[in-house]
Amino acid sequence: MTNKSERIILHDSKFGKLSYHKRFKQQFEFPGKELLCHMPFTYAEVRRHGTVNICCPQWNPAEIGNVLTDDLRDIWLGEKAKTIRNTILDGSYSYCNSETCPNIQNWQTGGLWDNTESNQTELFQSIRQTPSHVHLVIDHSCNLQCPSCRTDKITQLDDDNKNSGLLVARKVFNSMFKEPHNEHKTIGMDGSGEIFSSEMYRELFETEQIFTHTDLWPNLRFNLSTNGTMMTEKIQKKYKVFFDHIKKIEISIDAGNEDSYKTVRVGGHWDLLWKNLHYLYNTIKNKPNVEWQWNLIVQTHNFESIPEFLNLANQFSEKRPNLNFSKVLNWGTWTEEEYAGHAIHLPTHPGYKRYLEVLNATGLNRLK
């Protein structure tokens, strides 16, 4: 996939070259010294070639290590991780992409903690031998071909990339779950592709003990990112033990009606999606500790359907999903000119006035 979007490249003495989305602002006006982000103290993201970030790389691209060369435990407690944590404690947020980080953007609505001595103590106490939450981003293959995500359909990874992803996942699991324990841990999986169409994830689900013998780790939970179309009743029953330990499941729906869905979720099946979601709903609606979230990336071809999206959520009255809205970014699939046509949130977009009308009518003012 050719990256058509512009990036800002910064060079750092400790981390080397850092690549930021072009709208990165080093001096974003928010009271950083008064606020704490918990992510670098609890979370790590591990990608297919072994690189480890202490946040999503789009929000903070500084890599703290690689599990193919070092143990995750050493990386997590290493000097690079400490460097990033110190930028949170001193309020500089030096490595954070403040223009795109949702926690920073939404700091007024509770995205960050107050910088108090007690909260600092809690964060330091949360640093264990390994992260509390590891998110694997190891397979970008998918059954869909959404224009905001990719230019070509990637049905499955080639053997080299698949084997690399499997090795990385097993390195992580060996560091965190070599022996049975009762620590509270969360393993999240993907967001760059569809886990339920992935050969790699199927192999992991069927061979790794953390999925097949969850009783060995009673406080292990899973976070899933899926488009929902492959998460059929059959799949949910096949991996029931795994689904019984879900902490959070994020479903990228991106539309409130079928016409918009067909445009932004190319290759998706609207009716099958809702059949799958209704089955999931009936299995989790009486489980208070299970969170489900619907995602909608706001863009030109779906913003008009936001009211319908809200109405759909209200139909699940016994356990209404959390709704997550975000502005579309350019991940390299569009030229800057093409992106400007999709980015309805830009004041220069010809539909911006209508966009504001929809936001005002639905109360989503933070997306202005």
Side-chain angles (χ1 to χ4, degrees):
M1 181 171 65
T2 302
N3 192 325
K4 302 176 183 178
S5 63
E6 296 180 30
R7 309 289 290 183
I8 288 178
I9 305 298
L10 302 180
H11 295 273
D12 182 78
S13 59
K14 184 175 287 286
F15 293 96
K17 186 175 77 171
L18 300 174
S19 175
Y20 289 91
H21 189 272
K22 88 169 209 174
R23 289 175 178 80
F24 166 66
K25 293 180 181 176
Q26 282 184 287
Q27 301 299 327
F28 183 80
E29 293 184 6
F30 82 106
K33 294 185 183 298
E34 300 173 14
L35 299 167
L36 292 171
C37 178
H38 69 90
M39 294 289 281
F41 299 85
T42 59
Y43 177 93
E45 184 161 310
V46 185
R47 305 184 85 78
R48 185 171 66 249
H49 298 296
T51 55
V52 183
N53 292 76
I54 212 159
C55 186
C56 170
Q58 296 300 328
W59 319 143
N60 185 328
E63 294 173 3
I64 63 170
N66 191 305
V67 297
L68 296 179
T69 56
D70 295 292
D71 192 281
L72 179 61
R73 290 168 289 189
D74 296 326
I75 295 170
W76 181 244
L77 299 176
E79 289 303 314
K80 288 186 175 181
K82 291 178 183 177
T83 295
I84 296 176
R85 290 181 189 125
N86 286 337
T87 69
I88 304 303
L89 296 173
D90 68 22
S92 66
Y93 288 74
S94 303
Y95 297 101
C96 299
N97 187 338
S98 53
E99 177 67 9
T100 55
C101 170
N103 280 347
I104 293 176
Q105 288 288 311
N106 301 322
W107 67 268
Q108 291 176 306
T109 57
L112 300 168
W113 296 6
D114 291 333
N115 190 353
T116 63
E117 185 176 343
S118 61
N119 280 342
Q120 285 194 21
T121 300
E122 184 176 345
L123 286 178
F124 278 111
Q125 289 176 343
S126 69
I127 302 174
R128 307 298 184 187
Q129 292 295 311
T130 56
S132 300
H133 181 175
V134 172
H135 194 90
L136 299 175
V137 184
I138 55 176
D139 192 345
H140 63 290
S141 66
C142 190
N143 60 312
L144 305 185
Q145 187 180 337
C146 304
S148 62
C149 176
R150 60 196 64 209
T151 56
D152 301 304
K153 190 169 185 177
I154 306 169
T155 305
Q156 295 296 338
L157 299 184
D158 59 43
D159 287 343
D160 286 345
N161 280 308
K162 176 185 173 183
N163 291 334
S164 177
L166 288 170
L167 178 60
V168 164
R170 286 167 175 155
K171 288 275 190 181
V172 170
F173 298 159
N174 190 57
S175 292
M176 299 181 70
F177 307 107
K178 191 171 185 178
E179 301 292 340
H181 61 69
N182 62 0
E183 294 180 41
H184 289 266
K185 298 293 184 183
T186 301
I187 295 293
M189 286 164 282
D190 251 284
S192 65
E194 175 48 48
I195 58 175
F196 294 114
S197 68
S198 162
E199 292 177 353
M200 182 194 304
Y201 277 111
R202 283 200 297 272
E203 181 170 337
L204 291 173
F205 293 161
E206 294 169 15
T207 61
E208 292 300 307
Q209 280 196 314
I210 68 165
F211 302 113
T212 61
H213 292 80
T214 53
D215 57 299
L216 298 176
W217 298 277
N219 291 315
L220 169 63
R221 297 295 181 266
F222 302 105
N223 284 8
L224 306 182
S225 298
T226 175
N227 62 46
T229 59
M230 301 287 288
M231 191 182 62
T232 61
E233 178 181 346
K234 181 180 179 180
I235 285 292
Q236 293 181 56
K237 287 180 175 178
K238 180 177 182 180
Y239 300 123
K240 184 179 184 303
V241 173
F242 167 44
F243 269 91
D244 283 346
H245 288 76
I246 294 294
K247 179 179 180 180
K248 180 179 180 180
I249 182 163
E250 296 186 25
I251 304 109
S252 295
I253 298 175
D254 281 344
N257 60 50
E258 186 172 7
D259 288 340
S260 293
Y261 181 80
K262 287 180 177 178
T263 302
V264 298
R265 304 253 89 192
V266 176
H269 192 298
W270 181 255
D271 291 337
L272 179 59
L273 168 68
W274 293 104
K275 181 179 180 181
N276 297 343
L277 293 191
H278 276 281
Y279 182 81
L280 174 68
Y281 169 73
N282 285 323
T283 65
I284 67 172
K285 65 183 180 182
N286 295 318
K287 297 179 179 180
N289 293 326
V290 177
E291 177 186 350
W292 70 327
Q293 174 178 303
W294 296 0
N295 295 335
L296 190 146
I297 299 175
V298 180
Q299 50 194 294
T300 300
H301 293 298
N302 67 9
F303 81 95
E304 293 272 13
S305 74
I306 289 176
E308 293 167 279
F309 186 71
L310 297 174
N311 289 336
L312 286 168
N314 290 334
Q315 293 176 17
F316 294 84
S317 57
E318 293 181 61
K319 192 180 184 74
R320 188 179 185 275
N322 295 324
L323 302 182
N324 178 57
F325 298 90
S326 58
K327 302 170 185 176
V328 68
L329 294 175
N330 190 0
W331 302 110
T333 61
W334 296 315
T335 64
E336 287 301 311
E337 183 179 1
E338 290 169 337
Y339 172 67
H342 290 281
I344 190 70
H345 65 275
L346 297 178
T348 53
H349 193 288
Y352 183 68
K353 181 179 179 181
R354 173 58 186 156
Y355 169 68
L356 293 183
E357 292 174 353
V358 172
L359 295 189
N360 289 333
T362 54
L364 299 175
N365 295 324
R366 69 176 181 82
L367 290 171
K368 292 181 179 179

